[in-house]
Amino acid sequence: MLELDPWNLLTFVLLGVVTVVTRGFFFISSKPWTLPHWAQRGLQYAPIAALSAVVIPEVVTTQGVLVQTWMDARLFAAAAGVAWFFWQRSVLGTIVAGMAVYLPLHIGLGW
């Protein structure tokens, strides 16, 4: 049976309170507010920055070490996906193009 000591219970409750307060902070004020122009402009780049921070290390590293050879299917698949996106501006097409290059190289040639 799971035993819950008071310190763990207090920790869970306080984490819940912090979560509710931080996420509901913007609803507490009754008057509308806006971000400064520089912050709004900076937030426009947040999604692409977050996506880059996740995808680029996965493409160019293997177990934390930079790829040492060009015979890596991920490099060619990423290049094909980027090329497709700039040509057609289609996210689904980007995925399909990348996988169409990745799978034959990875499964067929063993890269």
Side-chain angles (χ1 to χ4, degrees), residues 12-103:
F12 295 149
V13 170
L14 289 177
L15 284 173
V17 168
V18 168
T19 300
V20 168
V21 168
T22 57
R23 294 184 184 243
F25 177 75
F26 302 106
F27 299 119
I28 294 171
S29 177
S30 61
K31 61 181 180 177
W33 62 280
T34 58
L35 289 173
H37 178 67
W38 60 268
Q40 288 179 350
R41 184 167 180 203
L43 286 175
Q44 290 175 347
Y45 299 103
I48 191 68
L51 185 63
S52 298
V54 171
V55 171
I56 291 174
E58 185 62 32
V59 171
V60 299
T61 63
T62 300
Q63 297 181 357
V65 179
L66 283 175
V67 174
Q68 299 295 320
T69 178
W70 286 100
M71 292 180 56
D72 192 328
R74 295 174 301 170
L75 298 174
F76 292 99
V82 167
W84 182 274
F85 182 78
F86 283 115
W87 178 47
Q88 292 292 320
R89 300 283 182 191
S90 164
V91 175
L92 180 61
T94 301
I95 295 169
V96 170
M99 291 308 291
V101 171
Y102 177 79
L103 289 175

